[in-house]
Amino acid sequence: MDPADDERLLREALALASQSAAQGGGPFGAVVARGGRAIASGTNRVVLDRDPTAHAELLALRAAARELGTHDLQGCVVYSSCEPCPMCWGALRWARVDALVYAADRDAAAAAGFDDRRFHDELERPAGESALVVRRLLEREGRQPFEVWLRNTQRTPY
């Protein structure tokens, strides 16, 4: 990672975030880059699209995967205007990106009225102390899709 590229691409994510905020979207932007070149970007469209998963990082990852023709984004760096929420953090890990560079943190998001901190805090609680009611049923039957997956010799591991 080149520090000059990092600053340039992070400034691009910040510009996207400010543009989104000015146009009725959320104040978040993200850029996916490979080799110092931006290949995809996204802004927060949660309210505009009425989609709770339309976070900037997720939209940028989806666009990058389409652009590269693969779900595996190894070799890529994500530049985000703000520290990713736990959902986006999970997506970054599933995408196998090499690195994350961000500007504002969860406290800055909380100060602006976003509850990212609450979700980060909840993940740190012991199992069973979540505000989300969680129940497990049909444990044995729940393994069936995995058995079908394992029998499929044409599957693409990920």
Side-chain angles (χ1 to χ4, degrees), residues 24-135:
F28 303 96
V31 172
V32 178
R34 180 178 271 172
R37 183 179 70 81
I39 57 173
S41 64
T43 60
N44 182 287
R45 296 190 52 86
V46 169
V47 173
L48 295 174
D49 292 351
R50 295 176 181 86
D51 178 352
T53 69
H55 289 202
E57 296 88 349
L58 291 183
L59 297 180
L61 290 172
R62 290 172 187 159
R66 282 191 302 274
E67 177 68 23
L68 297 173
T70 181
H71 64 280
D72 187 340
L73 300 181
Q74 289 182 54
C76 293
V77 177
V78 172
Y79 297 87
S80 181
S81 62
C82 187
E83 178 182 12
C85 73
M87 175 181 65
C88 293
W89 177 260
L92 293 170
R93 299 306 302 134
W94 278 111
R96 311 294 199 264
V97 299
D98 288 1
L100 163 69
V101 179
Y102 68 91
D105 66 9
R106 64 184 78 171
D107 295 321
F114 293 88
D115 53 5
D116 298 44
R117 169 160 283 301
R118 179 175 66 134
F119 299 126
H120 282 285
D121 291 346
E122 187 169 334
L123 287 176
E124 295 174 7
R125 291 188 189 120
E129 291 184 18
S130 172
L132 176 67
V133 176
V134 178
R135 298 184 313 137

Side-chain angles (χ1 to χ4, degrees), residues 70-74 94-96 149-150 152-158:
T70 181
H71 64 280
D72 187 340
L73 300 181
Q74 289 182 54
W94 278 111
R96 311 294 199 264
W149 164 262
L150 290 169
N152 180 354
T153 59
Q154 305 300 311
R155 71 180 180 270
T156 301
Y158 61 96

